Amino acid sequence: MESSIIMDNLAAFVSIIVPVYNVEEYLQPCIDSILGQTYSNFELLLVDDGSTDGSGAICDTVANTDPRIKVIHKPNGGLSDARNHGMQYVQGKYITFIDSDDTVASDFLSIMVAKAEEQNADIVQCSFALQEKNLHTGTKSEFSCNGSDGLRRFLIRDTVYVAACGKLYKRELFQDIEFPLGRINEDHCTVYKTIYRANKIICIDYALYWHRMRAGSIMHTPFSGKNLELITVADEIRLFLGEEQDAFREEIDYYEYKTAMILLNSLFSSEARKDYPIEKQQLIKTLLSLNNTNPYLSFKDKCINTFLKISPFMYGQTIRHYRKVTSHGT
């Protein structure tokens, strides 16, 4: 790929937003992977979200070594607040988000920007791999769609991912759009809006973003009542679409179904399952209410529904046993 063609094109300038909070053990590898990009026309916004460890000092130190780095220190407000704050300072044509404990391939920007520029795409998405492997896995094949088809694929969890990271966005897609404060499902609440606005989306089956799995991250914290907020996203999508929601009815219904399934399985597997009896019944009701004629409902889904109708207790026992077995790698 001839990334050198656009290396010095100011119109292809990229703003990278990295929220930083108490990640001193992982922050330097993240920054190094960004500074090591083969594409150099970017600004790096390190948003220190009130870190209480050495993360803020690391940000200040690296900023003295490269003029492309800007450090923003702010009181702690959470991931969404840090991202929103960073977007107030962006100057680029494109925006991308990188979590501070993750890393990206050296050709992450060169490939993503080239695709966006060559095909006038509003969003370019790459695949993910585990950070421990750092492998360029995938077929390198690509898929393109418009915003409506992209939203459908987002809703049925096919090709277009929920994650805000691993995507390059045209800056204007975020006009009047912010990540919601106080939510732990901020990507679910936000990314679909940019997808729907996009005229063209390109999804590359090539791992350029490497995610680090760690116990203290948001994605791997124990189940809590805040997890249940995720079930409200389907109604938020309906509200966002307004009169257009009927065109996506089956996809939204299926999205709500799969969300309820994920939450119910997590709740059944959690030690906190006895603390949410009403919520558990509501999730089961949501699952059983989906019309069997929904085209996205698989044979496996229908079998699960039958199992739930017969015995929610036995279903929960089965889920707990399965999670216990798989967690021990047997």
Side-chain angles (χ1 to χ4, degrees):
M1 184 170 295
E2 295 297 325
S3 59
S4 60
I5 295 176
I6 60 172
M7 282 289 287
D8 297 317
N9 181 358
L10 291 179
F13 187 76
V14 180
S15 296
I16 305 170
I17 298 177
V18 179
V20 176
Y21 179 71
N22 289 356
V23 285
E24 62 179 345
E25 182 180 352
Y26 310 105
L27 181 56
Q28 193 64 55
C30 174
I31 295 173
D32 289 343
S33 75
I34 295 170
L35 297 182
Q37 292 295 298
T38 55
Y39 176 89
S40 61
N41 196 7
F42 64 84
E43 63 173 353
L44 172 56
L45 302 173
L46 297 174
V47 185
D48 174 26
D49 189 38
S51 295
T52 57
D53 64 357
S55 298
I58 293 174
C59 292
D60 291 334
T61 298
V62 296
N64 292 327
T65 67
D66 196 309
R68 295 172 297 179
I69 301 176
K70 299 177 182 177
V71 180
I72 305 161
H73 296 286
K74 60 177 289 296
N76 179 253
L79 178 60
S80 289
D81 191 46
R83 285 176 175 171
N84 294 339
H85 202 76
M87 281 193 284
Q88 297 177 28
Y89 296 85
V90 298
Q91 301 180 41
K93 177 180 179 180
Y94 300 104
I95 296 174
T96 191
F97 303 97
I98 299 175
D99 286 345
S100 53
D101 51 354
D102 295 338
T103 56
V104 289
S106 61
D107 50 357
F108 170 73
L109 288 181
S110 64
I111 291 177
M112 303 279 274
V113 174
K115 289 293 182 185
E117 291 286 281
E118 291 166 2
Q119 301 190 41
N120 191 27
D122 298 296
I123 298 176
V124 180
Q125 172 192 278
C126 68
S127 296
F128 291 74
L130 289 179
Q131 198 276 338
E132 289 78 6
K133 297 181 179 180
N134 286 17
L135 297 176
H136 281 89
T137 57
T139 63
K140 291 190 178 182
S141 62
E142 61 183 72
F143 167 85
S144 64
C145 62
N146 60 25
S148 293
D149 191 29
L151 179 59
R152 288 188 172 89
R153 291 178 176 273
F154 170 94
L155 292 169
I156 65 173
R157 294 172 168 82
D158 175 31
T159 311
V160 180
Y161 305 143
V162 168
C165 297
K167 292 181 177 68
L168 185 76
Y169 309 82
K170 279 188 178 176
R171 177 179 171 181
E172 57 263 29
L173 290 180
F174 278 94
Q175 184 175 353
D176 302 321
I177 291 178
E178 292 187 338
F179 291 90
L181 302 182
R183 300 281 289 268
I184 63 172
N185 44 40
E186 62 282 324
D187 290 0
H188 283 266
C189 303
T190 310
V191 173
Y192 71 85
K193 299 176 183 178
T194 65
I195 291 169
Y196 186 62
R197 280 185 174 180
N199 291 314
K200 186 172 186 178
I201 302 166
I202 297 176
C203 301
I204 309 169
D205 182 25
Y206 196 46
L208 298 169
Y209 190 102
W210 297 325
H211 173 66
R212 183 190 300 274
M213 296 183 67
R214 62 185 180 91
S217 66
I218 292 176
M219 288 182 62
H220 301 99
T221 52
F223 185 92
S224 73
K226 290 190 70 66
N227 293 89
L228 294 166
E229 294 176 354
L230 187 58
I231 199 63
T232 66
V233 176
D235 282 337
E236 292 170 17
I237 294 173
R238 294 183 180 104
L239 182 63
F240 171 78
L241 292 173
E243 295 180 355
E244 301 297 321
Q245 66 177 279
D246 285 345
F248 300 89
R249 178 179 54 81
E250 292 177 330
E251 289 83 5
I252 298 174
D253 287 349
Y254 186 72
Y255 173 86
E256 187 172 42
Y257 172 87
K258 294 303 288 187
T259 300
M261 179 63 68
I262 292 169
L263 289 172
L264 183 63
N265 289 348
S266 297
L267 185 54
F268 272 133
S269 303
S270 170
E271 294 299 324
R273 58 185 175 272
K274 295 180 181 179
D275 299 331
Y276 302 97
I278 296 175
E279 291 82 358
K280 181 179 69 176
Q281 292 304 317
Q282 290 175 336
L283 291 172
I284 293 174
K285 182 178 179 180
T286 298
L287 288 170
L288 298 181
S289 67
L290 182 66
N291 194 318
N292 274 340
T293 62
N294 187 292
Y296 303 107
L297 200 65
S298 68
F299 176 74
K300 179 181 177 181
D301 293 329
K302 294 177 181 179
C303 289
I304 289 173
N305 282 2
T306 300
F307 196 176
L308 273 172
K309 285 180 181 178
I310 295 172
S311 177
F313 174 78
M314 288 302 298
Y315 177 81
Q317 290 283 84
T318 302
I319 290 297
R320 286 194 291 279
H321 176 72
Y322 174 77
R323 293 284 177 92
K324 182 178 180 180
V325 170
T326 54
S327 67
H328 285 83
T330 57

